[in-house]
């Protein structure tokens, strides 16, 4: 958990993608986020966290379902959404 906290405290924005193998919408969101990472390159970091295997982290961040995407910068949540994710809304929070 300390590595996770260190990562989200940095200046580089970090997208945290909570997913589950059993949720088909997680694959769709994952594909959108991969495309975003390709477009943004090193300007953002991305972490994919299996909800079922990391319940303590999910609870700490108040993640109740999947998919859930959280955008952090310098430890602050800039964007959080569950279910439908708007990549455009998330990108707008980066500027």
């Amino acid at each position: 958990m300390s590595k996770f906290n260190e990562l989200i405290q940095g200046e580089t924005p970090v997208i945290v993608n909570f997913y589950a193998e059993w949720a088909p919408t997680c694959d769709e969101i994952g594909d959108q986020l991969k495309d975003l990472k390709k477009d943004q390159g090193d300007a953002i970091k991305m972490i994919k966290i299996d909800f079922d295997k990391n319940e303590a982290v999910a609870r700490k961040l108040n993640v109740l379902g999947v998919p859930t995407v959280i955008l952090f910068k310098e430890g602050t949540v800039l964007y959080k959404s569950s279910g439908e994710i708007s990549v455009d809304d998330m990108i707008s929070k980066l500027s």
Side-chain angles (χ1 to χ4, degrees):
M1 190 70 177
S2 64
K3 258 188 166 177
F4 176 81
N5 288 331
E6 184 179 313
L7 183 64
I8 65 170
Q9 294 295 326
E11 290 182 25
T12 302
V14 179
I15 297 171
V16 180
N17 175 18
F18 283 92
Y19 76 100
E21 295 292 330
W22 47 263
T25 47
C26 291
D27 291 336
E28 296 168 23
I29 299 301
D31 290 343
Q32 291 177 21
L33 294 175
K34 284 179 192 173
D35 290 342
L36 174 62
K37 175 65 176 149
K38 282 181 190 174
D39 291 343
Q40 297 291 316
D42 292 336
I44 62 170
K45 294 180 183 178
M46 196 166 306
I47 303 171
K48 190 173 177 182
I49 299 177
D50 187 321
F51 179 81
D52 294 325
K53 294 179 182 174
N54 296 282
E55 291 180 24
V57 176
R59 253 191 319 260
K60 182 176 180 186
L61 296 173
N62 200 29
V63 174
L64 304 175
V66 291
T68 295
V69 174
I70 307 171
L71 172 64
F72 290 94
K73 185 172 182 184
E74 297 176 352
T76 301
V77 174
L78 300 179
Y79 174 88
K80 182 177 180 181
S81 185
S82 296
E84 288 289 318
I85 309 297
S86 172
V87 174
D88 291 335
D89 285 347
M90 188 170 34
I91 291 171
S92 73
K93 305 295 183 196
L94 292 171
S95 28

